[in-house]
Amino acid sequence: MDRRAIVVPGLPKAGPYSHAVEAGGLVFLAGMIPIDESGVVVKDDVRRGTALALDNVRKVLEAAGLGLDRVIKTTVFLRDMSDFAAMNEVYATYFTASEPARSTVAVKDLPAGAPVEIEVVAAR
């Protein structure tokens, strides 16, 4: 099976991983936190954080030649499940044409104190 790593110039990464890997017609994105190109992380606002994390998802997908309409599965990690409604409200504005399958999980902590992290699987 062919495998292609996708790394987006200007999008920060915190370790030994690719922003995404394509294999078998699927593109698997690493979890995206709300971090801007200068390395600043949104820590205090799940709405802004969700939007920025999904903007980063969109950048990685575009680097792979895809759009949000090709997403088939997302996993949303929330630092606080009481932020679910706010996250969901913003999330819904990004997936308007075809809603992917989704899991949402509460976790104890996320990298850099982020309130949300989103990982995605998309289909070519």
Side-chain angles (χ1 to χ4, degrees):
M1 170 180 2
D2 288 337
R3 179 183 184 280
R4 176 175 75 107
I6 299 163
V7 177
V8 181
L11 189 62
K13 67 180 214 165
Y17 61 87
S18 301
H19 290 126
V21 172
E22 181 171 3
L26 298 174
V27 179
F28 300 86
L29 275 67
M32 296 289 130
I33 63 171
I35 188 169
D36 66 21
E37 291 183 1
S38 66
V40 174
V41 176
V42 171
K43 296 180 181 183
D44 60 344
D45 184 339
V46 76
R47 289 178 197 279
R48 282 188 328 128
T50 300
L52 184 52
L54 286 169
D55 288 343
N56 289 339
V57 164
R58 186 185 340 238
K59 288 177 187 175
V60 176
L61 288 170
E62 287 172 355
L66 302 172
L68 289 171
D69 62 321
R70 304 302 298 172
V71 173
I72 57 175
K73 171 70 168 79
T74 67
T75 304
V76 177
F77 301 93
L78 287 175
R79 194 175 58 205
D80 186 341
M81 195 54 83
S82 68
D83 288 333
F84 181 87
M87 173 281 299
N88 199 49
E89 183 179 308
V90 174
Y91 178 99
T93 67
Y94 282 78
F95 297 102
T96 56
S98 61
E99 297 166 335
R102 182 181 80 190
S103 300
T104 304
V105 181
V107 295
K108 182 179 177 187
D109 204 5
L110 289 167
V116 61
E117 180 173 8
I118 301 172
E119 69 179 23
V120 166
V121 178
R124 173 109 6 236

